Amino acid sequence: MQNLKNQFLINPNITYLNFGSFGACPKPIFEEYQKLQLELEKEPVEFITKTGLKLLQQAKKSLGDYIHCDEEDLIFVTNPSYAVNIIAKSFNLNPGDEVLATNIEYGACDKTWEYYCEKKGAKYIRTNITFPITSKDDFVQEFVKGFTNKTKLIFISHITSSTGLRLPVEEICQWANEKGVLVFVDGAHAPGQIPLNIKELGASIYTGACHKWMMTPKGCSFLYVQKNIQDLFDPLIISWGYKALFPSNSKFQDYHQMQGTRDYSAFLTIPKSIEFMKAHNWWEVAIQCRKMVQSNAPRFIELLGTKSLCKINDDFLVQLFSIPIKHKHPEKLHDQLYSDFKIEIPVMRQNDKVFIRYSIQAFNTQKDLDILYSALTELKKDLI
C-alpha cells in the first residue's frame, strides 16, 4: 500500500491506531479549511450571507453525488448525534410504541433514544446480539425477533463503534421496507470507509460523519431524510428558515440548514475531500487497509486468549477491529498505552463488556500493529 503518512498532520511520535474516533485531516484538506476560515474573517457578512451559501450548496451537491442521493434531501449537521436528536425529538411516538435497535449501538445515540422514548411513554428495545456473528442471515433473523406490531422505527448502525462491526443494513432495510416500517441508519463510520449508495440502500433516514473516514475537519456530518417524511421533523433550533422571507423550494432545507451564526467552513471542504480521495485511488487504499486489519486479527485474538466477534471477512470487518478483553479500568489502560508506549488506541465499554479497537488508515503500516502487539504482550497478564 502506498504510504500516505506525509499527507497527514498526525504526530509522528505517536502510534496512531484511533482514526475511528475523530478522523484526521490530510494536509490539502486542512489547508482548504484554513483558507475558507480566512475568507470568512476577511469579510464575515459577505461570506456568511452570500459567498459561503453558494459554496455550501456546491458542497451539498458534491456530497449528494458521492453518496448517491438528491442533494435537497441532505442537510449538514455537526455530528451524527445531532442528527439523531433531530429525529428522536420530533418522531411521533405514543405510549406503548417501540423503537427497535441492537445492544451494540453508539452510547450517545442510545441515550438519546432512551430519553425521548421515556419522555413519550414509548420503549427503546435493544435486541441482544449473539457473538460470534456467523452470517448475515443469522444476524438478521436474530435481530428481527425484536420486531412487534408496536415497532414504529428501526434504528441500526451501518458500522458499529465499540465493536467495529459492519452490520447487514442492506438486508435489514429490505426486510423493513417489506413490513412498511421506517429504518434510520447510523452511518457515522461508513462514508469514505465503504462505498455508500443511499438510493440503493433503501433507508428512510441516514446520518453519516464526513469528519471520520472522509477526513474533513471536525464537526462535518450530514442527515438524509426521504422526501415524503421530511415534514415530520422539526429543527432543534427554530430560526430564520421558519416562514422564510425568501423561501427556497424545500422547507426541509429552510428549516434545518440556516441556524444562525456559525462557522460552517468544515462543510465546505467536502469537495476537496472527495478530490483528495479520487487523486489517491481511495477505494484501493481502503482495500489494502482492510487486508491489514483482517490479516492481523487472528494473532491478536490468539495473544489475548479471546474470540473474534465475527467471522473475519469482508461481510463484517472493514477498517476497524475490536478485541474483547477483561479489564476493570479501561480508561486507565488507555492512558497507560498512551503514556508508556505512545500508542493512541481506544479502550471502550459497551454494556458489561470491554473492547480494545484498532483502526487502520492510509498512514498506518504493519509496524504500527507490531508495536501494539508488543505492548499488549507486555500487559497480557492484566488483559485475560
Side-chain angles (χ1 to χ4, degrees):
M1 178 172 69
Q2 175 191 8
N3 190 291
L4 296 170
K5 194 163 190 173
N6 64 350
Q7 293 283 337
F8 289 80
L9 297 160
I10 295 290
N11 185 343
N13 298 317
I14 300 295
T15 300
Y16 202 84
L17 292 168
N18 191 10
F19 193 88
S21 284
F22 304 112
C25 268
K27 293 174 184 176
I29 300 173
F30 192 71
E31 287 166 359
E32 177 74 2
Y33 178 48
Q34 291 183 309
K35 176 185 143 189
L36 289 161
Q37 289 185 311
L38 184 59
E39 289 182 23
L40 164 63
E41 294 307 325
K42 283 181 176 178
E43 224 310 4
V45 174
E46 180 72 14
F47 190 92
I48 290 175
T49 63
K50 294 181 181 178
T51 309
L53 293 182
K54 291 179 182 177
L55 295 175
L56 196 69
Q57 194 58 36
Q58 291 172 15
K60 200 171 293 181
K61 175 68 167 61
S62 294
L63 181 61
D65 291 343
Y66 183 69
I67 62 175
H68 303 282
C69 69
D70 187 336
E71 66 201 77
E72 293 305 313
D73 297 336
L74 294 171
I75 57 168
F76 288 124
V77 293
T78 50
N79 53 55
S81 298
Y82 190 102
V84 173
N85 273 269
I86 290 174
I87 302 303
K89 184 176 182 180
S90 291
F91 194 71
N92 185 23
L93 290 171
N94 296 306
D97 287 346
E98 296 175 355
V99 173
L100 177 62
T102 73
N103 67 330
I104 52 173
E105 301 305 322
Y106 183 58
C109 297
D110 271 341
K111 289 178 181 294
T112 301
W113 282 113
E114 286 174 2
Y115 176 84
Y116 284 109
C117 284
E118 287 178 9
K119 197 174 185 67
K120 299 173 183 181
K123 295 180 181 179
Y124 183 51
I125 308 297
R126 304 169 75 235
T127 298
N128 288 326
I129 301 304
T130 301
F131 296 120
I133 301 172
T134 55
S135 73
K136 291 182 178 182
D137 286 344
D138 286 349
F139 178 91
V140 173
Q141 290 305 312
E142 181 172 49
F143 176 69
V144 300
K145 286 179 182 177
F147 180 84
T148 72
N149 60 4
K150 297 179 180 179
T151 303
K152 302 303 179 186
L153 177 78
I154 288 173
F155 177 75
I156 190 166
S157 291
H158 207 154
I159 300 172
T160 61
S161 180
S162 297
T163 49
L165 297 166
R166 178 179 182 171
L167 301 183
V169 296
E170 296 85 356
E171 289 79 1
I172 295 292
C173 287
Q174 181 179 352
W175 185 91
N177 288 334
E178 291 172 359
K179 295 288 184 180
V181 64
L182 301 179
V183 181
F184 182 3
V185 175
D186 176 3
H189 285 276
Q193 189 176 173
I194 59 174
L196 179 59
N197 189 316
I198 295 286
K199 287 182 180 177
E200 290 184 359
L201 181 63
S204 315
I205 309 165
Y206 194 103
T207 184
C210 302
H211 57 240
K212 289 182 184 284
W213 299 91
M214 282 182 69
M215 303 169 289
T216 68
K218 313 302 173 282
C220 180
S221 300
F222 67 87
L223 171 64
Y224 160 87
V225 181
Q226 283 180 343
K227 278 187 175 63
N228 63 321
I229 59 171
Q230 288 172 1
D231 286 348
L232 299 178
F233 305 109
D234 293 331
L236 293 182
I237 298 172
I238 302 299
S239 190
W240 291 104
Y242 174 66
K243 295 184 178 180
L245 184 60
F246 302 105
S248 71
N249 60 356
S250 169
K251 188 168 76 172
F252 180 61
Q253 292 295 321
D254 293 341
Y255 276 27
H256 291 272
Q257 203 59 85
M258 295 312 299
Q259 296 289 308
T261 306
R262 60 174 172 171
D263 180 357
Y264 50 77
S265 301
F267 302 150
L268 308 184
T269 65
I270 287 173
K272 193 69 174 181
S273 160
I274 295 170
E275 176 189 310
F276 179 86
M277 290 188 287
K278 285 181 178 177
H280 293 284
N281 194 15
W282 211 250
W283 294 128
E284 181 57 34
V285 171
I287 288 171
Q288 295 306 313
C289 290
R290 184 164 71 241
K291 287 180 179 178
M292 192 185 301
V293 166
Q294 295 180 16
S295 64
N296 280 272
R299 69 171 182 151
F300 282 100
I301 290 295
E302 182 180 6
L303 172 67
L304 299 177
T306 188
K307 293 181 180 179
S308 176
L309 298 174
C310 63
K311 285 189 173 180
I312 298 173
N313 59 33
D314 290 353
D315 283 347
F316 302 109
L317 295 177
V318 196
Q319 289 172 248
L320 299 162
F321 186 66
S322 289
I323 310 159
I325 61 171
K326 294 180 180 179
H327 201 283
K328 293 181 179 179
H329 305 289
E331 295 79 14
K332 289 183 179 179
L333 176 59
H334 166 270
D335 293 348
Q336 184 179 13
L337 285 165
Y338 191 82
S339 61
D340 295 355
F341 301 94
K342 298 294 182 282
I343 299 172
E344 179 61 79
I345 188 169
V347 186
M348 296 177 287
R349 302 171 187 265
Q350 177 96 57
N351 307 316
D352 61 343
K353 302 290 191 299
V354 176
F355 303 95
I356 184 167
R357 184 197 73 193
Y358 63 75
S359 310
I360 297 298
Q361 185 51 291
F363 54 79
N364 290 117
T365 65
Q366 181 59 43
K367 181 181 177 183
D368 295 327
L369 289 174
D370 291 343
I371 291 171
L372 174 64
Y373 188 89
S374 177
L376 294 180
T377 299
E378 190 171 329
L379 299 173
K380 180 178 177 180
K381 67 180 186 301
D382 297 323
L383 303 175
I384 57 176

